[in-house]
Amino acid sequence: MAFSPLVDELVESLRCLPGVGQKTAQRMAFHLLEKGRTGGHRLAESLQSAMAGVRRCERCQNFSDTPVCGICENPKRGNGTICVVESPSDLLAIEQAGDYQGGYFVLMGHLSPIDGIGPADIGIECLMQRINDEDISELILATNPTVEGEATAHYIADRLDGRDVLITRLAHGIPVGGELGYVDGFTLTHAFRGRKPLSD
Amino acid sequence: MAFSPLVDELVESLRCLPGVGQKTAQRMAFHLLEKGRTGGHRLAESLQSAMAGVRRCERCQNFSDTPVCGICENPKRGNGTICVVESPSDLLAIEQAGDYQGGYFVLMGHLSPIDGIGPADIGIECLMQRINDEDISELILATNPTVEGEATAHYIADRLDGRDVLITRLAHGIPVGGELGYVDGFTLTHAFRGRKPLSD
Ligand SMILES: [Zn+2]
Ligand SMILES: [Zn+2]
């Protein structure tokens, strides 16, 4: 860009955001400079505070401002159940559904030998430690239904083989409100195999 | 979000970016926290510097770090031609095309009586002053081919009525490399009316 090193630098920095290329970064920079300087200043401050202040919860590995996060500190959530998810957004989706009342463990990823990501990198030892220390009766493996997610779930299940912990996996099936015609074959097969009596 | 006020605040602040809703802001925040803290810090600093340091050029109104921008200060660009554009991105597109060698005037908008945007708001008086002060032989009205862009171009042309300044508008026509079948009717009509002898 010919006209301003400060604008150039801002455009370049905005490209660290996921899904933001050169054109989008330019549009964002111009928007902030033209109409959003207050928002721009506020964003700068939030970024600084969050980058410096957000850590990982010592118990569940989720993002937290404090050593132990709000969910882990909430005595009502300590019902002996841990739900294992891959990411904070998965946790958020479950929280927003509003039904689950147990605790979490956030892997921040999944096993991926190709990328050199092993059990230690996603905190499996911490999870095992927590299952030893706390009175856990059920471990819900809510990793994604992808090859890596399934492999990660199986690895965790294997590690707990012979232990007195119920290990469950979320049900696959037709999305509520979904139309059969738009559901893929694998999901449909799962839905058939998991069919239940109407009275259920 | 249940787990971190700092993350909540970051997500909320990211929504000041154009085209960024709740889900996208969340994805951006999580990405920065998980894998991009260096980029996040750098973005915070660039934002702060740009929001505080970028001003409008005194001559062309474009964004600039200095009172007068690089293009306006460049003696090679003072060939008596001013190209009037609506926004810095329009200027950038022309600069990237690389052919135009004159100066600019950036309106940072267009006339829009409904939104209460009149000539003074887009700097028309400054433009008139500049045409008086400098030896301007041609004014290229490169506002957008929209109702507002056309109205703005006509308003500027009217203000210069009777003055010894050549007023031009960019040619409409088939985009280079474009296929006739995909060109809209208005453009095609313009292209027909503006047809030129093959030798041209
Ligand atoms: Zn926690
Ligand atoms: Zn300038």
Side-chain angles (χ1 to χ4, degrees):
Chain A
M1 212 180 302
F3 48 88
S4 159
L6 287 176
V7 178
D8 286 0
E9 169 66 23
L10 176 57
V11 170
E12 198 48 43
S13 300
L14 282 163
R15 295 190 58 183
C16 74
L17 297 171
V20 174
Q22 180 71 17
K23 284 271 171 197
T24 308
Q26 244 170 47
R27 197 163 52 89
M28 287 174 165
F30 291 159
H31 174 90
L32 290 173
L33 289 165
E34 266 173 78
K35 300 169 203 138
R37 298 223 181 189
T38 316
H41 275 297
R42 186 183 159 197
L43 176 55
E45 279 159 29
S46 309
L47 275 166
Q48 221 120 39
S49 311
M51 294 303 120
V54 176
R55 60 180 90 192
R56 306 275 292 272
C57 168
E58 288 169 7
R59 279 175 72 194
C60 73
Q61 299 199 135
N62 194 14
F63 295 131
S64 172
D65 300 358
T66 45
V68 175
C69 79
I71 294 178
C72 288
E73 289 235 311
N74 185 346
K76 287 182 190 156
R77 305 296 295 256
N79 64 0
T81 306
I82 296 177
C83 176
V84 178
V85 293
E86 291 187 28
S87 74
S89 23
D90 298 339
L91 181 153
L92 214 56
I94 297 171
E95 284 298 289
Q96 277 161 359
D99 196 50
Y100 177 66
Q101 291 300 318
Y104 289 97
F105 191 84
V106 184
L107 300 171
M108 297 278 184
H110 46 234
L111 291 177
S112 180
I114 292 173
D115 304 309
I117 299 173
D121 302 304
I122 56 174
I124 301 290
E125 300 315 318
C126 305
L127 175 61
M128 293 303 144
Q129 193 61 48
R130 206 174 138 193
I131 293 167
N132 283 338
D133 296 349
E134 298 174 34
D135 190 19
I136 301 302
S137 55
E138 181 178 358
L139 193 71
I140 304 169
L141 297 173
T143 52
N144 290 323
T146 58
V147 174
E148 294 89 351
E150 298 286 353
T152 306
H154 280 114
Y155 177 85
I156 297 171
D158 285 348
R159 287 287 300 267
L160 292 167
D161 199 30
R163 298 279 294 270
D164 188 23
V165 178
L166 176 66
I167 297 175
T168 56
R169 194 102 175 80
L170 297 187
H172 289 305
I174 317 291
V176 178
E179 287 182 50
L180 278 194
Y182 292 96
V183 173
D184 67 282
F186 283 110
T187 304
L188 215 49
T189 304
H190 270 290
F192 261 89
R193 291 189 186 158
R195 66 191 182 279
K196 295 177 179 182
L198 198 57
S199 59
D200 221 32
Chain B
M1 212 179 303
F3 49 86
S4 159
L6 286 176
V7 178
D8 287 1
E9 168 64 22
L10 176 56
V11 170
E12 198 48 43
S13 300
L14 282 163
R15 294 190 58 184
C16 75
L17 297 171
V20 175
Q22 180 71 19
K23 284 272 171 195
T24 307
Q26 245 170 46
R27 197 162 52 88
M28 287 174 165
F30 291 159
H31 174 90
L32 290 174
L33 289 164
E34 267 174 77
K35 300 170 203 139
R37 298 223 182 190
T38 315
H41 276 298
R42 184 182 160 197
L43 176 54
E45 278 158 30
S46 310
L47 275 166
Q48 222 119 38
S49 312
M51 295 303 121
V54 176
R55 62 181 88 191
R56 306 274 292 272
C57 168
E58 287 168 8
R59 280 175 73 193
C60 73
Q61 298 197 135
N62 194 15
F63 295 131
S64 173
D65 300 358
T66 44
V68 175
C69 79
I71 294 177
C72 288
E73 289 235 312
N74 185 346
K76 287 183 189 155
R77 306 295 295 255
N79 64 359
T81 306
I82 296 177
C83 177
V84 178
V85 292
E86 290 186 29
S87 74
S89 22
D90 297 340
L91 182 153
L92 214 55
I94 297 171
E95 284 298 290
Q96 277 160 359
D99 196 48
Y100 178 66
Q101 291 300 318
Y104 289 97
F105 191 84
V106 184
L107 299 171
M108 296 279 183
H110 46 235
L111 292 177
S112 180
I114 292 174
D115 305 308
I117 299 172
D121 302 303
I122 56 175
I124 301 288
E125 301 315 318
C126 304
L127 175 61
M128 294 302 145
Q129 192 61 49
R130 207 174 137 194
I131 293 168
N132 282 338
D133 296 349
E134 298 173 31
D135 189 20
I136 300 302
S137 54
E138 181 178 359
L139 193 70
I140 304 168
L141 297 173
T143 52
N144 291 324
T146 59
V147 174
E148 294 89 352
E150 297 286 353
T152 305
H154 280 114
Y155 177 85
I156 296 172
D158 286 349
R159 286 286 301 267
L160 291 168
D161 200 30
R163 297 279 295 269
D164 188 22
V165 178
L166 175 65
I167 297 176
T168 56
R169 195 103 175 79
L170 297 187
H172 289 304
I174 317 293
V176 178
E179 288 183 47
L180 278 195
Y182 292 96
V183 173
D184 67 283
F186 282 110
T187 304
L188 215 48
T189 303
H190 269 290
F192 261 90
R193 291 188 188 160
R195 66 190 182 278
K196 295 178 179 180
L198 197 58
S199 58
D200 222 29

